[in-house]
Every structure is written in C-alpha cells, then in structure tokens.
Amino acid sequence: DSLNSFFRHLGAKFLFLDTKNTIFCCVIIYLFRILERRYGSLKFASNLIMSCVLSMSTEMLLEQYFETKNFGPLCLVMPLYIPWFREVPVVSASHYGPVSISGKSINYLLCLQLALATKGSLLATLCAFVSGLFVYCTPLKKFSLPGWMGSIFSKTIGRIINTYPSSDTGLMGATLEIQRSQHTEALENQLMRARNRFQVPVNGGGRQLRLDEMWGGLAGAGAAGPAHPNLPVIQSQVQTLVDMGFTRERAETALRQARNNL
C-alpha cells in the first residue's frame, strides 16, 4: 500500500487537475524555448532534469511536514525562471505610471497565477526556485549528460517531437513579426536620442519618414560618419535589415555610413 501511495503521489506531480493551469503551463513552456536555444538541447535537458529531481524530492518531503499536496509539473517548469530572470534581457518596456511592462511580464504573471493557486502550489514553487538557484547559480550548471544519451533520444523520441522550418517563406510567424517590430522601435528610439543630442527638429511624417531620415539625415546630424563606398559590409547585418523590410541597397548604404555598427 505504501508503494502504491508513493507512485500515486509521484504521478500527481506530472498532471494538472485544472484545465486553466494546464494551458498556462503550456504557454510558459513555449516562452521558455529561448533557453534551449541558448544552452543547446543536451545542456538544457541536463540542467532541467537535475533541477526537476531536486525540486520534486524537496517538495515531496516538505509536503509530508506541512500536510499539503500539489498537482502538476511545477517542479519541471518553475526552476527555469531562474535563468529566465538572470540571462534573458528585456527587449522593450512600456511604462504605465510607476509600472514598467516588458515582453517578459506576461511570463511572470503566469508564474504568479500558478504559484498562488493553492497552498501546495506555493510550496512547490518555492522548492522549485530553490532548486533552480542551486543548479543554475552554482558549478552544477556545468553538468551535462553523456553525448550518447542525447543521440539515443534524438534518434527515438526526437523523430516524433522535432520540428523543421517550412519551405514556404510566404507566411511569417508571429514571433518573427514581433521581433521585427521591436527592432524597428529600437531604431526609432535611437533616432530620437540622436535628435535630442544634436537638437535636430522633428519634421513629422510617420514611421517611414523617420526611418528615411535615419538613413540620410542622421549622418548629417553627426550620429554616423560619411559613407565609405569601398567599405565591405557584413552580410549577416545586411540580411537583418532586409528581414525588417528595407531594401538591400538601403541597408548596405546605412551600414557603410555607420561603419557596420548596427
């Protein structure tokens, strides 16, 4: 009976009883995909497994003491908030009075919703944060599973869950569109700072006119030097500007004016 109770208790750590919390957890996992791109699949999985085991073990011990019970894989998700907070930069932020809202804010709100659902989920979240600190802020972060284990999973489960880029380039994903919009806003902010620095008057005319001023007029304001026709441009930076919607000729001209300082 004790063994069956243990396995039931263990199984409860991987299943939400509430559909709402399941959806929130799926959104959080989607937002955390950037961490796998930073670390690589094998290193990401190694840290994830270690933090999950530590969090689950601590949670199950403390639940016996506090007489609580949590359902759901919080031990798998919540430790990732430690590297998310420390390593993922804030791309853009909007200020509503004293409150600053960035692209990371929605993830923190989802974390708060899951953590405050019950007393057991709050305890599980605290255990997950402690295990995340213990793994991602200590030399344990360098731990990695053997490469042959990654090869086995890649050839078995990986064939089912792997996704590949579509050959159809006509449609654009929402994430890429957001990134392009953020890049454009960053360029606009750079132009406005240059205007304020050199006291260049704002002539209006909308976003396209402001971007046109940056290609041509900004050099005259002193933010970039004269164009160097023989200066080789970095093709990756050219492609970045082309992906944002500008022509290749305009991108190369701007990079030569800025001496490849994107």
Side-chain angles (χ1 to χ4, degrees):
D1 291 338
S2 60
L3 186 60
N4 291 334
S5 177
F6 170 77
F7 282 111
R8 285 197 300 268
H9 194 185
L10 184 64
K13 303 304 175 186
F14 297 95
L15 180 65
F16 280 115
L17 299 182
D18 189 355
T19 305
K20 176 186 64 177
N21 290 340
T22 304
I23 296 175
F24 287 163
C25 187
C26 290
V27 175
I28 292 174
I29 293 174
Y30 174 77
L31 295 174
F32 279 154
R33 72 196 187 281
I34 188 176
L35 297 176
E36 182 182 5
R37 297 174 184 173
R38 284 175 160 284
Y39 294 154
S41 298
L42 184 61
K43 183 66 175 299
F44 175 77
S46 303
N47 293 337
L48 182 63
I49 292 174
M50 181 177 295
S51 61
C52 178
V53 171
L54 291 175
S55 176
M56 184 184 300
S57 303
T58 309
E59 178 186 343
M60 294 178 69
L61 289 175
L62 292 179
E63 281 181 345
Q64 301 297 325
Y65 179 78
F66 289 102
E67 298 182 353
T68 61
K69 190 171 184 180
N70 172 65
F71 292 89
L74 296 184
C75 59
L76 189 66
V77 177
M78 292 301 183
L80 295 175
Y81 275 98
I82 302 301
W84 170 267
F85 175 77
R86 296 179 66 246
E87 302 177 15
V88 179
V90 177
V91 178
S92 62
S94 301
H95 296 276
Y96 297 90
V99 180
S100 177
I101 300 179
S102 68
K104 298 172 63 177
S105 299
I106 181 65
N107 206 356
Y108 293 132
L109 292 176
L110 293 175
C111 172
L112 194 63
Q113 169 65 31
L114 292 178
L116 299 181
T118 62
K119 182 180 178 181
S121 63
L122 180 59
L123 178 64
T125 301
L126 294 177
C127 293
F129 286 165
V130 172
S131 66
L133 289 170
F134 191 69
V135 171
Y136 292 100
C137 300
T138 65
L140 287 177
K141 183 180 180 180
K142 299 180 181 179
F143 169 77
S144 180
L145 295 172
W148 59 267
M149 293 186 62
S151 300
I152 292 176
F153 281 101
S154 178
K155 294 177 181 179
T156 54
I157 302 178
R159 296 181 181 273
I160 302 175
I161 63 177
N162 277 350
T163 58
Y164 302 94
S166 175
S167 57
D168 183 13
T169 58
L171 298 178
M172 180 171 52
T175 303
L176 183 58
E177 176 63 24
I178 293 173
Q179 292 175 353
R180 292 181 178 178
S181 176
Q182 290 173 344
H183 278 298
T184 305
E185 291 176 0
L187 291 174
E188 289 183 350
N189 292 333
Q190 181 181 356
L191 175 59
M192 297 302 296
R193 288 195 296 268
R195 282 172 171 163
N196 294 333
R197 186 182 304 117
F198 299 102
Q199 298 182 355
V200 179
V202 179
N203 297 323
R207 167 176 288 187
Q208 187 61 43
L209 179 57
R210 295 196 298 271
L211 292 176
D212 288 340
E213 291 175 359
M214 185 175 65
W215 301 131
L218 190 58
H228 298 270
N230 297 326
L231 179 67
V233 295
I234 301 175
Q235 293 301 319
S236 60
Q237 295 184 355
V238 174
Q239 188 60 41
T240 299
L241 294 175
V242 170
D243 289 341
M244 292 171 61
F246 304 107
T247 63
R248 180 171 292 273
E249 180 181 359
R250 176 176 291 181
E252 292 178 353
T253 301
L255 287 173
R256 288 192 178 96
Q257 290 179 349
R259 299 180 178 87
N260 288 318
N261 184 10
L262 186 58

